Amino acid sequence: QLQLMESGGGLVQPGGSLKLACVASGLGLKYLAIGWFRQAPGKEREGVSCTSVSGDTTNYADSVKGRFTISRDDARDTVYLLMNDLQPEDTGVYFCAAEVNSDYTCNEDEYDYWGQGTQVTVSS
């Protein structure tokens, strides 16, 4: 069955950058629509970015637009989230999720598989 594994989280100062990776196994990434989500302590999970199977369509939350970039490398079965100019409010556990039946969705409830999450902490 499909498995997702996030990596690349860590501790960074405000204004710094991190690049998260999500590796898919069991099914090729080329078959999957992908979303990135995050959850801060005590808060609900929120959508960050999403991309279509082809990568031609992307979307970003207003809070990260212009700072974050989602991309995919199907040959390596890996989706990336490049996060620039990180701020304390970006702190949280970041999850990638995959949808196997639609070419594109940003709806959290429609995703079929989830990774375990990777911690991102932005603090001085």
Side-chain angles (χ1 to χ4, degrees):
Q1 196 66 264
L2 174 66
Q3 295 186 36
L4 303 173
M5 180 68 71
E6 304 96 334
S7 63
L11 175 64
V12 65
Q13 296 183 49
S17 297
L18 286 173
K19 189 174 185 179
L20 306 183
C22 172
V23 179
S25 60
L27 287 176
L29 181 66
K30 62 183 178 181
Y31 302 109
L32 307 172
I34 297 292
W36 282 98
F37 299 83
R38 68 187 181 189
Q39 187 168 26
K43 297 184 178 180
E44 294 185 349
R45 189 166 57 198
E46 63 176 345
V48 176
S49 183
C50 48
T51 183
S52 63
V53 169
S54 68
D56 291 339
T57 304
T58 60
N59 197 17
Y60 299 90
D62 288 341
S63 59
V64 308
K65 199 169 298 181
R67 298 188 296 121
F68 290 13
T69 303
I70 190 170
S71 62
R72 57 193 299 152
D73 185 345
D74 288 347
R76 298 181 183 274
D77 292 321
T78 303
V79 174
Y80 301 97
L81 184 68
L82 175 61
M83 305 183 295
N84 292 323
D85 193 26
L86 284 161
Q87 302 299 314
E89 54 264 36
D90 296 315
T91 293
V93 178
Y94 283 68
F95 302 88
C96 66
E99 214 288 324
V100 301
N101 298 126
S102 300
D103 287 342
Y104 178 66
T105 184
C106 298
N107 188 341
E108 176 180 350
D109 293 334
E110 295 182 5
Y111 284 93
D112 303 301
Y113 297 94
W114 294 79
Q116 86 291 345
T118 185
Q119 177 71 43
V120 172
T121 302
V122 185
S123 176
S124 60

